[in-house]
Structures are given as structure tokens and as C-alpha cells.
Amino acid sequence: MDIGGLLTSAGINISICGVLFSLYSVLRKQPSNASVYFTRRFISEPVPRDDPFGLHRFVPSAGWIMRAWRATDEELLEAGGVDAVVFMRIVVFSLRIFFIATVVCITLVLPVNYYGRDMEHKNLPVESYDVFTIGNVQEGSKMLWAHCFALYIISFAAFILLYLEYKSITKMRLAHLTGSHPNPSHFTVLVRGIPWSQDHSYSKSVESFFSTYYSDTYVAHQMVYRPSTVHKLKKDAKKMYRMLRPIETETEYVRGDKPCYLCGGSAHTFKVVHSGHDNIGSQTSIDDLHPAQIEKECPAAFVFFKNRYAAVVAAQVLQSSNPMLWVTQLAPEPHDVYWSNLGIPYKQVWVYKISSLLCALALVFVFCFPVAFVQGLTQPDVLTTWFPKIKGLLENQFINRVVTGYLPSVVLILLMYTVPPIMMRLSKIEGSVSRSERKRSACIKVQNFTIWNVFFVNVLSGSFIQQMSVFSKLQELPFQLAKQMPDQATLFTTYVLSSGWASVACELIQLFNLVWNFFRKFILRSKEEPTNIALTFPHHTEIPRMLLFGLLGFTLAILAPLILPFLLVYFFLAFLVYRNQILHVYVTKYESAGRFWPVVHNTTIFSLVLTQVIAVAVFALKEAPVASGFTIPLIIFSLLFNEYCRKRFSQVFRRSPAQVLIEMDRRDERIGREEGFYSQLRSAYCQLAYITKDLIISEDFSTAGPNRQREDDGSCHDEDENSLRQGAYHVRLEK
């Protein structure tokens, strides 16, 4: 590809971004789109629809850019929680490191590449992209020291920035732990692998075990029930909801303060009462239930303790001589629990994980074939061999540039859009007990998939068997990468333009939700406002994309530095767009307290080490043994730095420090906990409460539409509870 083809691709994407950004500034002013572009405010307080008509509503403006720019970390923390702030720290880190890389490589490395050989240069638009890569530097040139020096600057700048970010995010995580109100998850342990006994129920086994070995700190427990049981109750509740919805008589919604049937209450869970009926049913112990009801228990339970330290100790200690029995871990937050996976017997979890891993690997290998096809689109000779009839069209210079420069990246992007939903499904299959862990697992899967298929498969272009033969001799892998990386720089640069710039613009416009909102209001003529429109932030799609761009930026920084300005523009656009989306669109339903950052740190270290290994091979191929030898200590230092950060920071993201927990417990003892706090623990993890509220979501789904990233696995929302209270019926959860 020549520079003219690159500029053509850049011009197409700049036009797309300009049109979508201008369209967004107009669409966000329309009252009918409030549920699309102001979801957070729309949920808390409906936006008035009687906005007077005015021409200002149809004039593009940049006011939203200034508001996103001026937003502080405190505002982001309040709107999106710690995870939102951590995501923006990823963007800021990328901006800083690639600003340094751009300044160093454009001023130092790029001139060396361009004048690396004695040759007559063409006009810039028709100049080949390869002239700006390290492939244009003559073998044995002393100017290769510029590349080695630039690599040292970029690496040490990355080390400093990574250390500062890791330290800051660790403090933020601890502040989130110590500064929050007493969280039920801090006092709760999830127990799985409860042994079966013919003499009594699972519930009695849990009570007997923890009363014996944790008699001083054990408070109570809450059993988990099989999904079929809960779904049967949900089905019955849905029938009742449909039957009572038309009723217009005055009734009252009553909710008791005692546990429901699945929390140890009466078997008659739902009851319709009219005003004035205030008698409450008697409570029944779980072991007094019918044996058929006891059989519906799962070998899993939530166990509650008096203080945080006792819960952490119970979660981290091996409870039995058989590691497959009485397996404990800290419980997720109530809204974070993935109820459908709690019914999986713990002895079968490893089977689910292996099956999920094998499916992910199979998907990775299957995608090698379409990616290899995309690679052929970048080569006109291969393209005319596959499709002889288009040889005449490719003679047109503009069409040639579009087909070989822009089309391959678009096809690759469309293929990649199918990956995150599949990986999310596989993460569900592997048995994650929390939705945040499921999304984190999906993030890692998507990241590994993109690094392999977008980076390695494209660089090691050729047939699938040839790619596998490269890995049979790992000692040759760095040299293969060193030879192929400069040749693939054009594809990666256009991929950044298409997948980076255009994807940010599409993220801003919320195209799918916008089309559905238009269809619902103007085609279906629905006057009811949607009740389930909340979107959670798609970490599993956006973080892998940024890490892939980081990998491309590091590896091509000294090989083909022309990609760096385009990367810098992408991260700047992402900085503005995602701040705006966090403040106005995405709703936080659960919190992982920054657990995505270790994934980012490890991937960044991998990118740096891979870059340094490729540099060693490049210097060796360019007959610069001294520069190659000077790069080896950089690899060793990178590995030592990663080990230091792992020892210093990563443990805080896996375990809670006892010192902090004890101080929090002592603080609660001094000021006193809220009255009835321990009695609220069981209701916080009441399985039926979440499923019951979900029935309203499913009933109103026809008006809400299928929104991207909606959590539809049993979550409960305040707005759904409000709609329940406003209905013309009264359901009492007898507790």
C-alpha cells in the first residue's frame, strides 16, 4: 500500500466519525431519545417530553465534549463506581505512553527509516508505506542505535506509568473497601460441595457444621435452591401477575420482614390480599418442610458471620480433608450473584471449565481460516487469482486503494463482532458464580482470541498448517515475526482506523438502541416508556480492543512508527466518548472494585516483552549484534518489574488484608452497627426475591426491547419494583 491508500482509508473514517459525531449532537437534544442517550437520568427521574420546539435542537454543537472533558474522577466514581474509573485510567495510561512513543519515534525513528537506504524517493502520496518501516534500513547500519534508544525510552516510561497506576488503583480499591457502608458480601461466605446425608437436609448439615467449628462467629445461613424450583415459582407468579393486572380495585402491596419460602418461610409464598387484610402467616422452619421440598435444595449455601475477619478466614481456610467438600469463598455482592450457576454441583465445575476452554480453543482455530482470507484481500495479486473478473476494476487506482486498504479491515471487524457474545456464553457455561467474574472471564477470553487471530495469524500469514509449523520451532518464532511485522503494518494501521475510530463513533451514537427506540415509538406507536433499558459497561469488548491496540502500538513503535499518530487520535476520542457514556448512559449494577486492572497490567507487560524479543530478532537480522545484545537486559528487567508488581500489588486484588478488616470491625463496634443488620443478611441473599422482581422485567420486555448488555439473569432493579408497587394488585411475600 502507498501513502495515498492510507490517506484514503483515513479520509473515509474521518468522514464517518464527523458525520456520526454531528448526528449525535443533534439526536441527543431530541426528547424522544432521552432513554437512549440519558439512560441514567431517565431511570432516576423521567425526562420531560414537552421540550419546546426550536431550531437549536437541530444544530450540531460541541457542548457535550466540554462537559466530558471537565468531568472529574469523583464524578466518574459517583456515576460508574471504581470499575468505571479504572477503565478511564486504562485510557489515560494509553494516552500518556503513546504520546511519549509518538514524540520519540516520529522525531527519532521515522527519519532513520525513511533515509535508511540510498534511493530516489517519490512524491509522498505515491510513496510506499514500506519506506517508513525498519525494513528500509540497510543491514549493518549504525543508525539502528536510534531504534534501540527509543525502545529503552518507551519501556522505562511504561514501567513508571504502570507502577504509578497500579499503586493508585490499589489505593482506590482499599478506599472502596474501607469507605463503603457495611456490605452484606463482607460478612457472607459462599459454601459449595456440601456433603449429602440421608439423615437430614443440606440446611441442617450447614447449620451443624458451622455451629460446631465456628460457634463464636456463625450467625445464620441461606440455602440455594435448584433453578427448576425457582423457575416454577416464577412461572406461577407470572400467571398471577397476568391474571391480576386488569384489576382496578384498590389494593395494597405488602412485603413482610421475615424470610420467604425459599428463605425458610411458608410454602404458600404468594397471596392476593385486599385493603385491610393484615394477618401474617406463621413461619415454618426449613427442616419442618415436606421431604419433597427439602430435595429441591442445592449443595450450596450462603453462610453469614458476625464480622468481616471471621468471614475472610472461613473463606480462605481449607474446611475439610477432602478439598472437594465444604469449599468456601467470599460471596459476591447480592446483585452480582449469578443464581443459575449456583445449582451446578462443585464436583462437576472442572468439567464445565474444561469444556468451555476446549470450545474457546476450537473457536480460535476455526477463525484462522477467515482471517487468512482477509489477509489475502490485502494483496492484489492474490485477489485477482481468487476473483479474475475484478482484475479490470482493480486497475482503477481509487478502487484498488479501497479494496486492498479499507475493505480487509472492515471484513475483519465484522468477523470480530461475533466473538464477544460467544465468549460471554462460554464464560457462563464454565460455572462462574458472579456476573462480574463471568464478564472478567469473557474479557480474558476475548483478549486472548484477538491477540491470536488479529495479531499472530495476520503476521504469520499463510495457510493454517504453515502457521502451526512455525510454533513447532519456537526458536524461529521471533525471526518470523521480525520478518513479517513491517509487511503487515499497513493492515494494522487501517485496522486501527476502522476498528478504532469508527467503533468509538458507533459507541457514541448507540446505533442499535437508537434504531430500536425509533421502531418502538414511530412504527409500533408505543406510548409506554421502557422499564428495562439499563446498560452495563461492556468491559469484555472494550478492554480487549484497547489492549490489542496497545500491543500493536508497542510492537510497531520502532518498526513502523506511522501507526502511532492514528493510535493517539483513537485514545483521545475514546477518552471523550467513554467519559460521556459513563456519565449519561451506562448504569452500574455490580462492582468488581478494579479487578480488571491486573489483566491490563499483565497484558501490557506481555506486549512490552514481545516487543523487546522482536527487536532482538530485528537487530540480529539487520546485522547489529551490539544493539541486539543491549536489548536482552531490557527483557530481563521487564520480567523482574512484573514480578515485583505481582508481589507488591496483585495480592490485594485477590485477598482482603486482615489489618484493614479488623480495623473496620473495630470501627463498627465503636459506632455500633445499624439495628437489625444481621437480620438483613438473609433477605439480601433471598433467591426468590430477585427472581420475583425479574418477572416484571420479562412482562415489560416487549416495550423495552432487546438492549445490548442488559443483564437478564435474575437481577432486580428499583424501577421494576416501583412498577410492581404501582400495579393494580397486591402481592404479599409471606415471610
Side-chain angles (χ1 to χ4, degrees):
M1 176 191 288
D2 54 23
I3 298 301
L6 179 62
L7 294 178
T8 300
S9 180
I12 294 174
N13 286 281
I14 290 173
S15 302
I16 292 175
C17 291
V19 170
L20 292 181
F21 274 55
S22 301
L23 187 61
Y24 168 76
S25 65
V26 173
L27 292 174
R28 71 191 300 271
K29 299 177 184 179
Q30 312 309 315
S32 59
N33 295 328
S35 60
V36 178
Y37 298 120
F38 297 95
T39 308
R40 293 180 53 82
R41 196 200 319 172
F42 187 85
I43 291 176
S44 59
E45 49 182 76
V47 180
R49 298 175 56 89
D50 56 350
D51 189 19
F53 177 84
L55 293 178
H56 68 279
R57 285 169 43 183
F58 301 94
V59 178
S61 61
W64 68 272
I65 296 178
M66 298 306 300
R67 284 188 288 272
W69 177 268
R70 294 171 182 171
T72 62
D73 284 349
E74 288 73 19
E75 293 175 346
L76 294 176
L77 184 64
E78 182 180 358
V82 177
D83 287 338
V85 178
V86 168
F87 180 82
M88 292 311 305
R89 298 310 301 175
I90 300 171
V91 180
V92 171
F93 164 78
S94 302
L95 267 173
R96 289 173 175 172
I97 187 59
F98 287 112
F99 175 78
I100 296 173
T102 301
V103 172
V104 172
C105 294
I106 295 297
T107 58
L108 184 62
V109 175
L110 189 62
V112 174
N113 291 346
Y114 188 71
Y115 297 104
R117 293 181 184 271
D118 294 331
M119 58 180 296
E120 182 179 353
H121 292 283
K122 305 176 184 178
N123 293 332
L124 186 61
V126 295
E127 190 73 88
S128 175
Y129 190 97
D130 297 336
V131 175
F132 297 90
T133 68
I134 200 172
N136 194 52
V137 179
Q138 194 171 1
E139 288 77 1
S141 174
K142 295 182 179 180
M143 298 304 294
L144 288 169
W145 276 103
H147 300 76
C148 184
F149 181 67
L151 182 59
Y152 263 85
I153 294 177
I154 295 171
S155 298
F156 277 97
F159 296 152
I160 295 173
L161 293 176
L162 280 174
Y163 176 81
L164 294 177
E165 293 295 344
Y166 219 150
K167 183 178 180 180
S168 174
I169 293 173
T170 301
K171 290 182 178 180
M172 191 187 308
R173 176 179 171 85
L174 293 176
H176 172 76
L177 179 64
T178 58
S180 60
H181 295 289
N183 192 323
S185 63
H186 296 168
F187 300 83
T188 309
V189 170
L190 174 62
V191 183
R192 306 173 77 184
I194 303 172
W196 165 253
S197 175
Q198 296 181 350
D199 299 331
H200 44 73
S201 64
Y202 284 125
S203 177
K204 193 66 176 178
S205 298
V206 173
E207 181 180 1
S208 175
F209 182 87
F210 285 94
S211 298
T212 302
Y213 299 106
Y214 295 91
S215 57
D216 295 334
T217 56
Y218 168 71
V219 175
H221 69 276
Q222 171 63 59
M223 294 303 302
V224 176
Y225 289 80
R226 302 188 187 281
S228 58
T229 306
V230 182
H231 291 163
K232 176 64 168 61
L233 291 171
K234 177 182 175 181
K235 184 178 179 181
D236 295 341
K238 188 179 296 186
K239 290 181 179 179
M240 182 178 295
Y241 173 79
R242 290 171 176 171
M243 180 181 64
L244 298 178
R245 196 171 185 176
I247 296 179
E248 297 181 356
T249 58
E250 182 183 358
T251 51
E252 179 186 2
Y253 173 86
V254 182
R255 178 170 180 171
D257 296 329
K258 298 181 181 180
C260 60
Y261 160 57
L262 292 184
C263 307
S266 172
H268 304 285
T269 307
F270 295 97
K271 186 175 182 179
V272 180
V273 295
H274 295 276
S275 301
H277 291 206
D278 55 354
N279 56 323
I280 301 175
S282 59
Q283 183 178 353
T284 307
S285 173
I286 188 68
D287 285 298
D288 295 333
L289 297 176
H290 192 273
Q293 299 168 352
I294 296 177
E295 290 178 358
K296 297 174 183 178
E297 294 177 344
C298 290
F302 293 99
V303 180
F304 312 113
F305 292 85
K306 292 182 179 179
N307 53 62
R308 301 174 182 86
Y309 180 72
V312 170
V313 171
Q316 297 179 357
V317 172
L318 190 64
Q319 303 293 335
S320 171
S321 57
N322 184 354
M324 300 295 288
L325 298 178
W326 298 107
V327 181
T328 56
Q329 67 179 82
L330 281 177
E333 294 183 1
H335 290 277
D336 194 17
V337 177
Y338 199 78
W339 294 100
S340 60
N341 279 351
L342 293 181
I344 301 176
Y346 185 77
K347 294 182 179 180
Q348 300 177 10
V349 171
W350 69 274
V351 178
Y352 285 85
K353 289 185 177 181
I354 292 178
S355 302
S356 174
L357 177 61
L358 293 177
C359 292
L361 291 176
L363 183 64
V364 168
F365 292 135
V366 167
F367 257 75
C368 290
F369 296 100
V371 172
F373 169 77
V374 171
Q375 183 57 234
L377 296 179
T378 63
Q379 304 172 19
D381 297 338
V382 177
L383 200 57
T384 54
T385 302
W386 290 349
F387 309 101
K389 295 183 179 180
I390 67 172
K391 185 176 182 179
L393 292 175
L394 294 180
E395 292 178 357
N396 184 293
Q397 191 174 12
F398 178 77
I399 295 178
N400 192 328
R401 289 174 177 176
V402 172
V403 172
T404 61
Y406 184 71
L407 183 61
S409 59
V410 173
V411 175
L412 186 59
I413 292 169
L414 295 177
L415 290 173
M416 295 302 296
Y417 271 125
T418 63
V419 176
I422 298 175
M423 294 303 183
M424 180 66 83
R425 183 67 180 177
L426 293 179
S427 297
K428 175 185 176 181
I429 293 175
E430 70 181 10
S432 299
V433 297
S434 66
R435 289 181 286 170
S436 61
E437 183 60 30
R438 179 191 61 168
K439 185 169 287 188
R440 182 175 176 271
S441 176
C443 176
I444 295 174
K445 289 183 175 65
V446 175
Q447 166 203 309
N448 295 335
F449 182 93
T450 54
I451 288 177
W452 166 257
N453 280 283
V454 177
F455 182 78
F456 284 104
V457 173
N458 276 294
V459 172
L460 305 173
S461 56
S463 67
F464 180 76
I465 297 177
Q466 289 175 341
Q467 294 162 10
M468 292 298 99
S469 64
V470 171
F471 286 88
S472 64
K473 299 179 180 179
L474 292 178
Q475 66 274 14
E476 298 181 1
L477 178 60
F479 296 97
Q480 291 291 334
L481 293 174
K483 292 177 182 178
Q484 299 296 331
M485 279 293 293
D487 297 335
Q488 301 303 323
T490 55
L491 174 63
F492 291 142
T493 304
T494 56
Y495 184 79
V496 169
L497 291 171
S498 303
S499 179
W501 294 12
S503 68
V504 169
C506 292
E507 166 64 31
L508 182 67
I509 203 71
Q510 292 287 307
L511 184 61
F512 182 84
N513 294 329
L514 179 66
V515 172
W516 170 251
N517 184 66
F518 177 84
F519 181 79
R520 181 180 59 82
K521 289 187 175 182
F522 298 103
I523 305 299
L524 299 180
R525 313 295 293 181
S526 174
K527 296 182 179 180
E528 296 183 7
E529 294 295 344
T531 58
N532 186 32
I533 58 176
L535 307 178
T536 58
F537 195 90
H539 293 93
H540 66 294
T541 62
E542 305 310 314
I543 290 180
R545 179 183 288 117
M546 289 198 169
L547 294 178
L548 174 64
F549 288 161
L551 173 64
L552 297 178
F554 282 122
T555 53
L556 292 173
I558 65 172
L559 303 182
L562 272 184
I563 194 176
L564 295 176
F566 300 106
L567 273 176
L568 199 60
V569 172
Y570 162 74
F571 286 117
F572 178 74
L573 294 177
F575 177 81
L576 296 176
V577 169
Y578 287 116
R579 287 169 77 90
N580 178 79
Q581 301 299 83
I582 291 171
L583 291 172
H584 300 298
V585 177
Y586 293 115
V587 178
T588 302
K589 300 179 182 179
Y590 46 84
E591 185 73 75
S592 72
R595 291 197 64 198
F596 287 97
W597 178 256
V599 178
V600 176
H601 176 88
N602 294 335
T603 305
T604 304
I605 294 295
F606 168 79
S607 301
L608 285 171
V609 172
L610 181 62
T611 301
Q612 294 154 8
V613 171
I614 293 175
V616 171
V618 169
F619 294 147
L621 293 175
K622 289 292 181 180
E623 299 178 3
V626 179
S628 181
F630 266 87
T631 308
I632 294 177
L634 197 57
I635 300 175
I636 299 174
F637 188 86
S638 301
L639 297 175
L640 293 176
F641 171 77
N642 183 56
E643 183 65 17
Y644 170 77
C645 290
R646 189 180 68 85
K647 296 289 186 181
R648 173 64 179 83
F649 300 115
S650 65
Q651 297 300 319
V652 179
F653 291 82
R654 299 176 183 176
R655 296 179 292 180
S656 300
Q659 178 184 6
V660 174
L661 298 176
I662 293 174
E663 290 178 355
M664 293 175 65
D665 289 332
R666 290 176 178 175
R667 182 188 62 186
D668 288 350
E669 291 177 359
R670 289 195 303 268
I671 63 178
R673 291 198 178 99
E674 297 179 3
E675 183 179 356
F677 174 76
Y678 293 118
S679 63
Q680 297 173 4
L681 292 177
R682 293 187 66 178
S683 60
Y685 286 93
C686 180
Q687 186 176 3
L688 181 59
Y690 288 88
I691 300 297
T692 304
K693 291 176 182 179
D694 187 52
L695 75 91
I696 306 300
I697 298 175
S698 60
E699 284 296 319
D700 293 335
F701 186 74
S702 59
T703 62
N707 289 304
R708 179 170 63 92
Q709 294 303 320
R710 179 183 294 109
E711 299 291 344
D712 55 355
D713 49 5
S715 61
C716 72
H717 312 287
D718 293 337
E719 64 273 16
D720 301 321
E721 185 172 351
N722 291 335
S723 64
L724 178 68
R725 292 176 182 273
Q726 294 171 3
Y729 61 93
H730 297 284
V731 178
R732 179 173 68 198
L733 297 180
E734 239 179 23
K735 300 188 177 182

